Amino acid sequence: MKEGDEARRPEILLSRHALQKIEERGLDAGWIARCVFEPDDTEPDRNDPGVRLAFKAIQEREWRVLKVAHRVEGDSIRVITAYFDRSRRR
């Protein structure tokens, strides 16, 4: 990543549901940002074409794969939910 790239990144906004689930699941905000901005893989949501699913293996959690559902809202990214996807492997 080039110097200054982080300053140009869109702001990450969390839905109420995402806030609740991130806290319940003990997820780190830095993991969410890494997953959104530096995903290992992405795909569209099957039920909502406006939602992207981002996947990132998290070293701090023994390489479990974090899944973050999000959508672009203007100049921001709204996180809808996040969790470790048991069906995905690194």
Side-chain angles (χ1 to χ4, degrees):
M1 178 173 7
K2 296 177 187 172
E3 188 175 322
D5 280 353
E6 286 189 33
R8 290 183 288 230
R9 287 182 169 173
E11 179 181 15
I12 292 180
L13 306 173
L14 303 174
S15 68
R16 276 189 223 138
H17 174 80
L19 277 169
Q20 178 185 5
K21 295 303 176 185
I22 288 166
E23 184 176 313
E24 282 176 12
R25 296 169 177 151
L27 303 177
D28 184 272
W31 301 343
I32 305 295
R34 285 191 343 228
C35 189
V36 169
F37 295 125
E38 303 165 17
D40 295 333
D41 194 15
T42 64
E43 60 187 51
D45 183 85
R46 286 182 283 161
N47 300 313
D48 186 340
V51 173
R52 291 296 298 174
L53 306 176
F55 302 90
K56 182 75 174 175
I58 304 298
Q59 180 179 9
E60 298 93 317
R61 285 291 186 94
E62 299 176 0
W63 299 108
R64 292 177 64 195
V65 176
L66 181 64
K67 180 178 184 177
V68 177
H70 63 282
R71 74 171 66 243
V72 174
E73 291 184 354
D75 293 336
S76 303
I77 294 174
R78 169 82 54 189
V79 171
I80 300 161
T81 195
Y83 58 92
F84 284 107
D85 189 337
R86 292 184 180 113
S87 67
R88 279 185 100 97
R89 297 286 176 239
R90 178 177 157 200

